Amino acid sequence: MEAADCIFCRILDGTMPATFLHRDECCSVFMDIRPVNAGHLLIIPNAHAPYLADVRPEDLERMIRLAQRYTAALRASGLPAEGVNLFLADGEAAMQEVFHAHLHVFPRYEGDGFGLRFGPHYAVQPREELERVAGMIREAVSRPAP
């Protein structure tokens, strides 16, 4: 998806509305229009980056610092917030719907009805399998970036 077609880029350029909590030179924080719970917010890099690997390292660092700040704010806000989830979907199979990297930050409380479910292969894996998969990842991370 090109930046011109991206709803988050349109929010940033003012052609789509949003309720902002924060804007600086690299990142923005605004309320999610389909909240899991009241207080659900999104943290995005201002530069269009479809996937996590596309986000500039300095923007990602700022996103995490903002997540820490707004997690504390959610807990202190008076909203029901017994816990807080951070969720970043990277790719369609991971449930990414808007292809501009974004970090969901949302308060959680007992009985809120939200949940993730584990797939049929969720179980302790044999050490040999963990080592095999780790080898594949080690090899991939050692390759030069494209």
Side-chain angles (χ1 to χ4, degrees), residues 3-146:
D5 301 321
C6 173
I7 190 164
F8 289 169
C9 290
R10 291 171 49 211
I11 287 170
L12 292 174
D13 73 15
T15 58
M16 293 288 297
T19 300
F20 283 91
L21 297 165
H22 174 89
R23 289 186 84 168
D24 64 30
E25 66 283 348
C26 71
C27 294
S28 295
V29 181
F30 53 89
M31 302 302 296
D32 192 305
I33 63 169
R34 290 187 310 189
V36 167
N37 288 315
H40 184 162
L41 55 94
L42 302 173
I43 301 173
I44 69 168
N46 294 340
H48 183 75
Y51 300 103
L52 181 61
D54 301 321
V55 178
R56 296 182 305 213
E58 60 272 18
D59 292 352
L60 184 57
E61 180 181 345
R62 181 72 175 138
M63 289 172 67
I64 294 301
R65 289 183 184 276
L66 287 166
Q68 183 180 36
R69 179 178 178 193
Y70 281 92
T71 294
L74 285 170
R75 289 179 177 273
S77 69
L79 291 166
E82 296 167 8
V84 176
N85 272 127
L86 303 180
F87 181 76
L88 191 147
D90 191 57
E92 192 171 337
M95 303 180 341
Q96 185 176 4
E97 294 177 346
V98 176
F99 287 85
H100 182 128
H102 56 287
L103 181 62
H104 294 261
V105 180
F106 53 94
R108 299 296 310 279
Y109 54 89
E110 188 71 34
D112 68 8
F114 181 79
L116 298 173
R117 70 176 182 81
F118 295 107
H121 304 292
Y122 182 73
V124 173
Q125 296 296 302
R127 181 65 49 205
E128 297 78 25
E129 177 63 6
L130 297 173
E131 292 294 338
R132 183 186 73 77
V133 172
M136 295 170 68
I137 297 167
R138 284 186 198 107
E139 181 183 328
V141 80
S142 68
R143 289 185 215 133

